[in-house]
Amino acid sequence: MAKTNAGRFFEDYALGQVLTHAVPRTVSGGERALYHMLYPARHALYSSDAFAQASGLSASPLDDLAAFHIVFGKTVPDVSLNAVANLGYGEGRFLKPVYPGDTLRSVSEVIGLKQNSNGKSGVVYVRTKGLNQRDETVLEYVRWVMVRKANPDAPAPETVIPDLAKTVPAADLVIPEGLDFTGYDFDLAGELHRWGDYEVGEIIDHVDGVTIEEAEHMQATRLWQNTAKVHFDATFRPDGQRLIYGGHVISMARTLSFNGLANAQMVVGLNAGAHANPCFSGDTVKCWSEVLDKAETAAPGVGAIRLRLVATKDGSVGELKGENGKYLPGVLLDLDYWALMPL
Amino acid sequence: MAKTNAGRFFEDYALGQVLTHAVPRTVSGGERALYHMLYPARHALYSSDAFAQASGLSASPLDDLAAFHIVFGKTVPDVSLNAVANLGYGEGRFLKPVYPGDTLRSVSEVIGLKQNSNGKSGVVYVRTKGLNQRDETVLEYVRWVMVRKANPDAPAPETVIPDLAKTVPAADLVIPEGLDFTGYDFDLAGELHRWGDYEVGEIIDHVDGVTIEEAEHMQATRLWQNTAKVHFDATFRPDGQRLIYGGHVISMARTLSFNGLANAQMVVGLNAGAHANPCFSGDTVKCWSEVLDKAETAAPGVGAIRLRLVATKDGSVGELKGENGKYLPGVLLDLDYWALMPL
Amino acid sequence: MAKTNAGRFFEDYALGQVLTHAVPRTVSGGERALYHMLYPARHALYSSDAFAQASGLSASPLDDLAAFHIVFGKTVPDVSLNAVANLGYGEGRFLKPVYPGDTLRSVSEVIGLKQNSNGKSGVVYVRTKGLNQRDETVLEYVRWVMVRKANPDAPAPETVIPDLAKTVPAADLVIPEGLDFTGYDFDLAGELHRWGDYEVGEIIDHVDGVTIEEAEHMQATRLWQNTAKVHFDATFRPDGQRLIYGGHVISMARTLSFNGLANAQMVVGLNAGAHANPCFSGDTVKCWSEVLDKAETAAPGVGAIRLRLVATKDGSVGELKGENGKYLPGVLLDLDYWALMPL
C-alpha cells in the first residue's frame, strides 16, 4: 500500500462529498509578526492591540487574509494537488476574527462538478469553511479548480454547476461583534480619507512595489502549510521556475494598497478572484484599486466599501483586459472584495 | 588580551571536562511559527494545541528537532568552531517536551578523545544535555567531531573511545508523561496509516522536494544561534559557497517525510546520524525512509517505530552507498531515529 | 483628491511642528524570535527570561535596536519619504525596556531647518520619541535628513540648527529600573571579559561576517513597517539595485559584535551615527569596535561603556577615513553608542 498522498483526481469527487482537511493549526503572536515580516502590512487594526480595542475588539486579530491562507492551505492536499488551474473564488465571507490562541481547521463540501469536453479533466466546485476550536465558522468561501482525471475512461458525473452570487450582498456581510469606528483615530491609522471620501468608479494607484524573491514566497506559502510541489521544487516544472502561490500575490497587493486605502481595515467579503497570469521570482508587484460599490452597515461609524484590487507586474494602472476580453499579460490578480471603513 | 572567541582546539579538551555552553534561550509561539515558515512542518501534534491536548499533553510542544537545534547551536562555539568534520551522532533521547515559555541551556561533558595518527587533529566525543529552567534534562545526545590542533607538538591525550550503543533500546525511550493515542484522530492528522500498517524493511518515497535558498538556510541556522562562519560568510571558503548547516537538512527531510509518515508524531530517539555529503544553496532536497524496527510502548495506543531517513539532492530512492562502501554522491543525510505512532 | 501619501517636502516642515506618526504596533514573542532569525543575536539578556530575571528585570525585553527600528520605521512616511540622504543621529537615549505585549507609537517634533544654498533641498532636524501604551517614552533620538523641495520657489525658512550634544553625558543615561549585575553569570553570557577588562582606545575585531541576501534585508525592513520604496522595488533605482536600510546594517553589526563584546548587554545611548556608504545584497558585513569611554553608574554591578561600532564590507579593521577626511569606501557604518556591562 502506497503511503504517500497522490491527491484526488476528478473521478474521485462526488457531489455532496465532505472533505475533512488535515493538520489543525494554533496561531500565536508569531504568525502575526511573520505576516508583518513577509508583507508590508500596516493596517492599524491588525498591528496594534490598543487600536483594535479602541475599535471595540478584544485585541488585534490575525490579518483576515492570513486566516484565509491558513484555511486554504489545508485544502490543498485534498482539492488542488492535481489541479491544472485554480479557476476562481466566490461567495467568500469572514465571519469571526481570529485571535492568537485560536486553533483553525478546514472542512470542504463538493457543491459542483463538470467534466470537460476533452474527457481528460473537469471542474470541481467546493465550499470551504474554516472553523475555530469552538467549532465556530470563522470564514467560508467557494473555490473552483480544474482537476485532472487519473483514468480517462472513468464515467463523467452528472454536471452540476452551483448558482453562485456574483457578489456578496452588502446585507449579508457579517460585522465583527462590537466593532465601532465612532472614535476612530485617523492620525494613528495613517490617512485621513474616510468612507465618504471614496467615490464609486474612483481608481487609486498604490504607487509602491515589491520585487519578489524565491525565499520569501516559499516561506509565506510554507507558513500556511500549503505544500503544492510547484511552489517549492525547482525540478518540478520543465522551465525550472517555481510558480508563486496566488495567495502570496493577494496578500502582497492587499498590503501594498495601504497607501491610499489605509482605512479599508477589515476584509469581510470576497466576491470574486482570478489569478490572471502566473507570478515568478524577480517580478515586481504593484497594484491599483477601483471603488466598485459602497454600502452602509448597522455598526456604529462603520461603512462597507467594495473594491477591485488589481496586482500587476508591469506597473500599469487602470488597464485590465485586452480587446480579446483576456487579461493583459502584465496583470497578475483581479480581486473583488468588501472591506470595512470608518464613516 | 584578545576578546574574541578563537574556539577550542583538540589539545584544549580533557576527558571528563564539563563545558557550560552560553546564551540560554526562552522560546515562545514565535519559534513555533518560524519552524512552520522555514520547513514544511505539518505533524498535527506540533501544529495544534487542541490536537496535542486530545493526545494527553498540556499544549502543542515545540518541534523536537527545533529543541534539538537550540541545544546543539549553543555547543558550536565550544565544540565545533575549529571542527574539520562533524562525524556522527548517537545515544540521543528526547526526555521532556519543550513548551512556549521554557528556557533552554546546554551542558556538555567530554567522554572520549582520540588523536589522529597524523598528529594534526583528533576526535572529540561529547555528551550534550539540554536543560530547561527547572534544570530538567529535555534531551541528550552524543556527538563526535574531528577538531584541529593549534599546536601540533601538543602531546596526545590517552585514547578513550566511549562504548556507544548502536541504537537506543526501545525500552530506554522516554514517552512524554500522559501521552495517549487511543483517541487519535487520523483524519485531522492527515493519513490513515497506523503503526500496524508499517513493516520492517518497507521503503517510503516521500515524493516532495524543496529547493534551498541562501536566505532560508541562514535564517534557520541563525534562529538556533549557531554561528559557525562557514554557514554565513561567503568569503570564508575559497569556493565562495556557504555550507548549509547539517541540521537544516535534517529538519527539511523530517518535515518532508510527513507525506507517508504523517503519524510518526514525536521523535524520541536519535540512534545515529551522518551528513554524507555537503549541501549548498540551489540543491533540491528530497527524501525517503526505511522502516528499521518497531516496538511497543507502555503508553496507551502508542507504538514506537525506528526509521532510517535519507535526504538526497538527486531524488534517488533506496540507494545509500556505493560498492566501495561510501555514501553515494547524491546522498546528503543518513539519519536513524525512533518516533512515536498511534497503534 | 489623491489618496496616496506623497510624503512631505522641505517646504512642508515648520519649526515646532509635531508629527504624529501612524500605525501603532503591539510586539510579542514573535518579534523577539524574528530578531534572532534575522540577526546573529546572542546577548543573553535578550535571549533568556531567566537571565533577565537574574539581572533584576521582569522578563527578557525586546532588543533595544528592534525597539529603535519599530519607532524609526513609523517616521519614514512623514520624515524621509523624499529624503535625499539620512545625514545623522544624535542625542539618543533608551529610557524603558520594551516587553512582549507593549504597543509602540512614535511622535516627532521639528527642531531645526536649514535650506541648502542650491535652493533645491534642505536639512530637517526632528526629535523622535517612541511611546508605549502607558504613554511612557521608551526611547528618543534626534535625526537629521536632507529633503527635496517640491517647489524650488518656496521661500526658505529661518535657519535654525539645534545645539546637539556631541555625546550623551554618562550622567544622563537612564538605567532600567531594578537592573543589577552583581550576580551576573559570565559563563551563561558567553564571555568572561567584564567592564574593567576593557581599556579606552582598545580595538576589537569581531571576526565573524554575514553575506547579505535580498530576501533577508527586505524582511527585516518590512518587519519594522519601514516602507521606503528604495529598499523593496528593484525598478526604483536606475541601476536596479535595492538599497539596504541602514538600520539593517546597524543591527547586523551590533549582533556580530557579540564576539568580543558579549557582555555589552543593553544599549542605553546613541551618541552619533553615520551611514558611510550604501550596502547592497551580496556584500559581506563584518565589524570592529573601539572603546571610546567608560563610566560608572548608580546601578549595582553595572558599568557604562561607550563604543564606536564600525561595519565594513571589505573586512578592514581600525581604518575609518582617508586622508581627505572622507569615509573609506569599504566602511558602511560608523556608530557611537553607550552600552551597559557588568563591572
Side-chain angles (χ1 to χ4, degrees), chain A residues 123-189:
Chain A
V123 178
V124 180
Y125 295 78
V126 293
R127 186 181 302 275
T128 297
K129 293 186 182 196
L131 301 136
N132 66 18
Q133 70 279 14
R134 290 180 297 276
D135 288 328
E136 298 163 335
T137 303
V138 300
L139 63 89
E140 60 178 13
Y141 64 92
V142 173
R143 175 188 177 212
W144 52 106
V145 291
M146 191 184 301
V147 180
R148 276 186 292 129
K149 290 175 79 171
N151 171 16
D153 298 330
E158 188 190 355
T159 293
V160 175
I161 297 177
D163 186 24
L164 298 176
K166 288 227 165 174
T167 67
V168 178
D172 288 356
L173 299 174
V174 175
I175 314 298
E177 206 181 313
L179 191 73
D180 180 344
F181 280 161
T182 52
Y184 193 89
D185 187 326
F186 288 85
D187 281 332
L188 279 184

Side-chain angles (χ1 to χ4, degrees), chain B residues 4-24:
Chain B
T4 46
N5 175 22
R8 280 181 173 78
F9 293 89
F10 181 68
E11 64 265 36
D12 298 327
Y13 294 94
L15 200 72
Q17 201 175 21
V18 173
L19 308 169
T20 301
H21 306 299
V23 192

Side-chain angles (χ1 to χ4, degrees), chain A residues 1-5 20-28 30-31 34 37-38 74 77 101 103 105 133 214-215 218-220 222-225 227 229 232-235 242, chain B residues 29-30 32-34 36-42 47-49 187-191 193 197-198 202 204-211 213 215-216 219 258-260 284 286:
Chain A
M1 166 170 143
K3 294 292 198 302
T4 45
N5 174 23
T20 301
H21 305 299
V23 192
R25 169 77 164 271
T26 304
V27 300
S28 75
E31 278 76 7
L34 280 173
M37 186 189 84
L38 292 164
K74 300 188 186 324
T103 298
R105 61 192 177 85
Q133 70 279 14
E214 298 284 14
M218 290 201 297
Q219 290 183 348
R222 213 183 272 130
L223 181 58
W224 319 125
Q225 297 175 307
T227 59
K229 290 181 193 65
F232 299 103
D233 181 347
T235 68
R242 280 164 272 183
Chain B
R32 193 165 80 177
L34 280 173
H36 283 90
M37 186 190 84
L38 292 164
Y39 303 107
R42 290 197 287 157
S47 179
S48 163
D49 282 347
D187 281 331
L188 279 184
E191 288 180 357
H193 328 304
D197 295 328
Y198 291 87
E202 180 176 354
I204 303 154
D205 176 1
H206 298 298
V207 179
D208 299 315
V210 171
T211 306
E213 297 294 316
E216 292 193 295
Q219 289 183 349
F258 174 91
N259 197 347
T284 296
K286 295 188 174 184

Side-chain angles (χ1 to χ4, degrees), chain A residues 57-80:
Chain A
L57 303 182
S58 61
S60 175
L62 187 68
D63 193 282
D64 306 304
L65 290 179
F68 173 81
H69 294 315
I70 289 174
V71 170
F72 180 99
K74 300 188 186 324
T75 71
V76 168
D78 300 311
V79 175
S80 45

Side-chain angles (χ1 to χ4, degrees), chain A residues 46 63-65 93-95 174 176 254 264-270 335 337-340:
Chain A
Y46 299 96
D63 193 282
D64 306 304
L65 290 179
R93 295 193 305 163
F94 295 78
L95 305 169
V174 175
R254 158 73 178 156
Q265 289 283 359
M266 303 193 89
V267 174
V268 285
L270 188 59
L335 194 78
Y337 71 103
W338 282 105
L340 300 180

Side-chain angles (χ1 to χ4, degrees), chain A:
Chain A
M1 166 170 143
K3 294 292 198 302
T4 45
N5 174 23
R8 280 181 174 77
F9 293 89
F10 182 67
E11 63 265 36
D12 299 328
Y13 294 94
L15 201 72
Q17 203 175 20
V18 173
L19 309 169
T20 301
H21 305 299
V23 192
R25 169 77 164 271
T26 304
V27 300
S28 75
E31 278 76 7
R32 193 165 80 177
L34 280 173
Y35 200 76
H36 283 90
M37 186 189 84
L38 292 164
Y39 302 108
R42 290 197 287 157
H43 288 93
L45 197 71
Y46 299 96
S47 179
S48 163
D49 282 347
F51 193 96
Q53 285 155 359
S55 303
L57 303 182
S58 61
S60 175
L62 187 68
D63 193 282
D64 306 304
L65 290 179
F68 173 81
H69 294 315
I70 289 174
V71 170
F72 180 99
K74 300 188 186 324
T75 71
V76 168
D78 300 311
V79 175
S80 45
L81 214 59
N82 299 305
V84 183
N86 193 22
L87 298 173
Y89 306 99
E91 293 196 357
R93 295 193 305 163
F94 295 78
L95 305 169
K96 286 258 177 195
V98 175
Y99 293 103
D102 282 355
T103 298
L104 299 182
R105 61 192 177 85
S106 307
V107 176
S108 297
E109 184 183 347
V110 179
I111 61 165
L113 288 169
K114 179 183 177 300
Q115 182 164 309
N116 288 333
S117 55
N118 63 14
K120 293 182 182 164
S121 56
V123 178
V124 180
Y125 295 78
V126 293
R127 186 181 302 275
T128 297
K129 293 186 182 196
L131 301 136
N132 66 18
Q133 70 279 14
R134 290 180 297 276
D135 288 328
E136 298 163 335
T137 303
V138 300
L139 63 89
E140 60 178 13
Y141 64 92
V142 173
R143 175 188 177 212
W144 52 106
V145 291
M146 191 184 301
V147 180
R148 276 186 292 129
K149 290 175 79 171
N151 171 16
D153 298 330
E158 188 190 355
T159 293
V160 175
I161 297 177
D163 186 24
L164 298 176
K166 288 227 165 174
T167 67
V168 178
D172 288 356
L173 299 174
V174 175
I175 314 298
E177 206 181 313
L179 191 73
D180 180 344
F181 280 161
T182 52
Y184 193 89
D185 187 326
F186 288 85
D187 281 332
L188 279 184
E191 288 180 357
L192 300 182
H193 327 304
R194 50 181 73 227
W195 183 81
D197 295 328
Y198 290 87
E199 287 179 29
V200 173
E202 180 175 356
I203 284 184
I204 303 155
D205 175 1
H206 298 298
V207 179
D208 299 315
V210 171
T211 307
I212 309 263
E213 297 294 316
E214 298 284 14
E216 292 193 295
H217 78 79
M218 290 201 297
Q219 290 183 348
T221 308
R222 213 183 272 130
L223 181 58
W224 319 125
Q225 297 175 307
N226 175 340
T227 59
K229 290 181 193 65
V230 73
H231 307 313
F232 299 103
D233 181 347
T235 68
F236 189 69
R237 283 167 55 108
D239 66 2
Q241 287 195 291
R242 280 164 272 183
L243 184 69
I244 290 175
Y245 163 50
H248 189 56
V249 178
I250 293 177
S251 275
M252 193 60 84
R254 158 73 178 156
T255 49
L256 283 170
S257 77
F258 175 91
N259 196 347
L261 282 168
N263 297 319
Q265 289 283 359
M266 303 193 89
V267 174
V268 285
L270 188 59
N271 300 306
H275 298 293
N277 283 290
C279 182
F280 297 105
S281 175
D283 288 347
T284 296
V285 175
K286 294 188 176 183
C287 64
W288 56 274
S289 294
E290 179 183 357
V291 180
L292 296 177
D293 200 0
K294 291 171 68 178
E296 294 184 357
T297 82
V302 179
I305 186 165
R306 194 182 139 215
L307 296 157
R308 176 196 296 280
L309 174 63
V310 177
T312 72
K313 57 179 177 179
D314 63 1
S316 60
V317 175
E319 297 166 15
L320 202 57
K321 295 182 178 179
E323 291 183 4
N324 58 5
K326 290 194 175 168
Y327 284 110
L328 293 167
V331 173
L332 296 170
L333 170 76
D334 180 13
L335 194 78
D336 179 340
Y337 71 103
W338 282 105
L340 300 180
M341 206 177 233
L343 293 178

Side-chain angles (χ1 to χ4, degrees), chain B residues 1-6 20-32 34 37-38 73-74 77 81 101 103-106 133 213-216 218-229 231-236 242, chain C residues 28-30 32-44 47-51 60 186-194 197-199 202 204-213 215-216 219 252 258-261 284 286:
Chain B
M1 166 170 142
K3 294 293 198 299
T4 46
N5 175 22
T20 301
H21 306 299
V23 192
R25 168 78 165 272
T26 304
V27 300
S28 76
E31 278 76 7
R32 193 165 80 177
L34 280 173
M37 186 190 84
L38 292 164
K74 300 188 186 324
L81 215 59
T103 299
L104 300 182
R105 61 190 178 84
S106 306
Q133 70 279 13
E213 297 294 316
E214 298 283 14
E216 292 193 295
M218 289 201 297
Q219 289 183 349
T221 309
R222 213 183 272 131
L223 181 58
W224 319 125
Q225 297 175 308
N226 175 340
T227 59
K229 289 182 193 67
H231 306 314
F232 299 102
D233 181 348
T235 68
F236 188 71
R242 280 164 272 183
Chain C
S28 76
R32 192 165 81 176
L34 280 173
Y35 200 76
H36 283 89
M37 186 190 83
L38 292 164
Y39 302 108
R42 290 197 287 157
H43 288 94
S47 179
S48 163
D49 282 346
F51 193 96
S60 175
F186 289 84
D187 281 331
L188 279 183
E191 288 179 357
L192 300 181
H193 327 304
R194 50 181 74 229
D197 295 328
Y198 291 87
E199 286 179 30
E202 181 176 354
I204 303 154
D205 176 1
H206 298 298
V207 178
D208 299 316
V210 171
T211 306
I212 309 261
E213 297 293 317
E216 291 192 295
Q219 290 183 349
M252 193 59 85
F258 175 91
N259 197 348
L261 283 168
T284 296
K286 295 188 176 184

